[in-house]
Amino acid sequence: MLIRRCWIAVALLLVCELAVADEIRVAVASNFATTSEAIAQRFEETSGHQVTLVFGSTGKHYAQIRNGAPFEAFLAADERHPEMLESDGSAVPGSRFTYAIGRLVLWSPEAGYVDAEGLVLEGSDFRHLAIANPKLAPYGRAAQEVLRSRGLWEGLQRRLVRGENISQAFQFVKSGNAELGFVALSQVTSPERQPETGSRWPVPEGLHTPIRQQAVLLEDSAATRAFGEFVRSEEARSIIRSFGYRTP
Amino acid sequence: MLTETDLAALWITLKLAGLTTLILILLGTPLAWWLARTRFRGKVVVEAVVALPLVLPPTVLGFYLLLALGPNGPIGRLMEALGGHALAFTFAGLVVGSVLYSLPFVVQPLQDAFSTVGRRPLEVAATLRASPLDRFLTVAVPLARPGFLTAAVLGFAHTVGEFGVVLMIGGSIPGETRVLSIAIYEHVEALEYGRAHMLAGGLLVLSFLMLLAVYGWNRRFRLVRP
């Protein structure tokens, strides 16, 4: 009798296990953290799958994935790392796509400090200009290209402070330690918070290589495919745009 | 071999660790002496404050330092009132951060060493008419020598290995605030594993040799001591 009950319990558990949706772990570039939370929430509501988001720098995530980290999908901050994962066989072939295009903005918390053309960069009244490290972060590389295109890169070397990533560049400016900095539009615009005040120059996209953020699936399952499709859906794309990105 | 920027990072790291250790020994000795000898009840509060940098994660400590050093923070305002510049993104700023960060590593061994010396040798010296300063310099300090060595080694090593605080307040300016740990981190993040291995390996070997030399020297000294 008791044994039979046990069997029934086990069978019930198994059925529940099948009915309960899968849980997927997604590695997400830090700049996309709040946006991905909004997307994951909608995805969980509509699909019933569970999503765990792990934030970090794309370079670190790449190294972790290459060394067996248990992520099923990867929302990177650039296209280079997903490409490498695809070519070395760590990703599901053909699953790579651009999910967001980052916008660069020159921002200062002080009103009237940054003019509409970014001519402030040519002046000498700031001590520090914050950028993300061009070696590590796509936003940093874009900022470098903008400064190079204006012929200011060499002259500004001693006044440039490099954040490890774009969030740190933002902190440098926000805390007042740097008078101005190249940050992501998504950091000064968010549907969840008050937009940042001050002054800004939205950098024309023609001045730098587009900051394409790509996603790649690392495991082929129904849940990951559903997640990939959702990120590409119009619903997710409108969330992404509301956070200050462009979508392809 | 090492590139010019990596060599610069090595030099800045050694300069930062050396200067921080020197300042900490100078500031930490009177503080540790006071902590070891005082009967003041509020001493526990001071001890707790000294140990605080052990509790906060370095990046958090760095974040608060960034806020404090900034033009709206207390230290930044003070600096500006004194006619100076804000300290973030400067070598001086890194020294301030490192002194705070490594404080317990220097003060605690010194305090232990002074406590171990105890009151007795000093009282004996006093009966021989040694002045308080004389007693401190010729009795307490020589007897606490192993404590000074431990404090200096720990302070230096901890500053060499410092990462989070520098990451937050340094701004990675080559030749100014880009230290070795940051350089290694940037190589790893940029997938330049070869250069990262070389720097990290070099750092390990160098640190090991340095510690070996210091401890070996200390041992020999103790053996000759009567």
Side-chain angles (χ1 to χ4, degrees):
Chain A
M1 189 64 190
L2 194 68
I3 289 172
R4 204 152 135 206
R5 270 203 200 148
C6 275
W7 274 116
I8 292 169
V10 167
L12 272 174
L13 270 176
L14 276 176
V15 170
C16 289
E17 197 63 41
L18 289 176
V20 166
D22 289 325
E23 194 196 319
I24 55 172
R25 256 171 299 206
V26 186
V28 181
S30 323
N31 74 64
F32 204 64
T34 46
T35 319
S36 66
E37 273 166 357
I39 293 174
Q41 197 189 350
R42 280 302 293 150
F43 175 68
E44 285 181 349
E45 282 164 16
T46 51
S47 71
H49 296 299
Q50 292 289 310
V51 180
T52 307
L53 302 168
V54 180
F55 307 123
S57 81
T58 289
K60 218 174 299 151
H61 277 151
Y62 170 81
Q64 290 173 339
I65 291 165
R66 286 293 309 270
N67 290 287
F71 297 124
E72 279 94 38
F74 181 27
L75 300 181
D78 60 5
E79 40 191 351
R80 184 166 149 242
H81 291 91
E83 260 170 28
M84 287 192 294
L85 286 173
E86 196 178 39
S87 64
D88 66 34
S90 307
V92 177
S95 67
R96 187 163 56 86
F97 65 95
T98 301
Y99 63 92
I101 298 165
R103 303 284 317 274
L104 194 66
V105 52
L106 180 67
W107 172 67
S108 162
E110 198 183 317
Y113 196 86
V114 176
D115 53 287
E117 251 103 61
L119 295 173
V120 61
L121 289 171
E122 277 145 46
S124 58
D125 55 321
F126 59 91
R127 280 188 74 224
H128 295 297
L129 167 67
I131 62 171
N133 194 325
K135 232 175 109 182
L136 313 180
Y139 285 94
R141 207 145 38 236
Q144 184 183 34
E145 286 172 7
V146 173
L147 291 173
R148 279 236 165 95
S149 75
R150 289 204 156 185
L152 296 168
W153 177 250
E154 300 300 328
L156 280 173
Q157 280 309 307
R158 298 298 293 181
R159 291 196 277 165
L160 276 184
V161 287
R162 297 164 178 81
E164 180 220 344
N165 53 41
I166 196 68
S167 316
Q168 226 197 337
F170 178 79
Q171 277 169 18
F172 287 163
V173 184
K174 175 85 176 164
S175 64
N177 284 294
E179 289 89 341
L180 71 175
F182 283 101
V183 301
L185 181 64
S186 55
Q187 292 173 307
V188 288
T189 328
S190 152
E192 291 174 352
R193 301 181 272 122
Q194 284 285 315
E196 293 290 343
T197 53
S199 48
R200 56 174 86 168
W201 170 49
V203 179
E205 286 183 277
L207 292 183
H208 60 81
T209 329
I211 307 165
R212 285 177 193 284
Q213 302 200 194
Q214 291 206 324
V216 74
L217 300 184
L218 304 169
E219 224 178 77
D220 201 7
S221 73
T224 55
R225 275 196 303 272
F227 182 72
E229 268 158 38
F230 184 77
V231 174
R232 261 177 292 195
S233 71
E234 189 42 48
E235 185 179 4
R237 283 152 54 96
S238 74
I239 296 176
I240 294 171
R241 281 192 296 270
S242 74
F243 277 87
Y245 296 92
R246 216 153 56 70
T247 50
Chain B
M1 268 318 281
L2 291 179
T3 61
E4 202 180 313
T5 48
D6 285 347
L7 278 176
L10 176 68
W11 167 236
I12 287 175
T13 304
L14 294 177
K15 200 167 72 165
L16 178 67
L19 204 58
T20 302
T21 310
L22 187 71
I23 293 174
L24 276 174
I25 293 285
L26 290 179
L27 291 180
T29 304
L31 179 61
W33 176 248
W34 179 76
L35 283 173
R37 312 257 312 161
T38 187
R39 291 194 174 126
F40 171 58
R41 282 195 181 178
K43 156 187 158 168
V44 286
V45 178
V46 181
E47 282 179 315
V49 170
V50 167
L52 270 185
L54 292 173
V55 180
L56 283 180
T59 42
V60 177
L61 186 64
F63 177 67
Y64 286 117
L65 268 173
L66 186 69
L67 295 185
L69 295 176
N72 306 318
I75 304 178
R77 282 208 187 137
L78 182 73
M79 287 302 293
E80 259 166 41
L82 296 174
H85 279 306
L87 283 174
F89 320 129
T90 62
F91 182 76
L94 290 195
V95 174
V96 172
S98 308
V99 163
L100 266 176
Y101 177 62
S102 297
L103 183 70
F105 289 82
V106 171
V107 171
Q108 288 179 351
L110 286 180
Q111 187 187 340
D112 285 347
F114 287 139
S115 302
T116 313
V117 171
R119 288 171 189 278
R120 183 92 184 119
L122 297 163
E123 282 163 6
V124 171
T127 60
L128 297 173
R129 295 209 192 128
S131 71
L133 185 69
D134 208 14
R135 272 176 276 167
F136 174 73
L137 290 177
T138 60
V139 180
V141 170
L143 284 176
R145 215 188 64 97
F148 274 95
L149 186 80
T150 310
V153 168
L154 283 181
F156 191 90
H158 194 239
T159 311
V160 168
E162 180 180 2
F163 174 70
V165 173
V166 181
L167 182 77
M168 296 304 280
I169 63 172
S172 189
I173 303 172
E176 170 99 20
T177 59
R178 187 169 175 267
V179 300
L180 209 52
S181 58
I182 300 281
I184 295 174
Y185 178 74
E186 287 180 6
H187 288 320
V188 170
E189 288 280 294
L191 307 177
E192 297 164 349
Y193 293 157
R195 286 177 70 187
H197 292 331
M198 189 140 66
L199 273 187
L203 181 63
L204 270 180
V205 172
L206 186 77
S207 309
F208 178 73
L209 291 179
M210 209 164 59
L211 292 173
L212 196 68
V214 169
Y215 285 121
W217 178 67
N218 191 42
R219 195 178 123 85
R220 212 179 58 196
F221 187 88
R222 245 182 253 172
L223 286 179
V224 249
R225 213 164 55 179

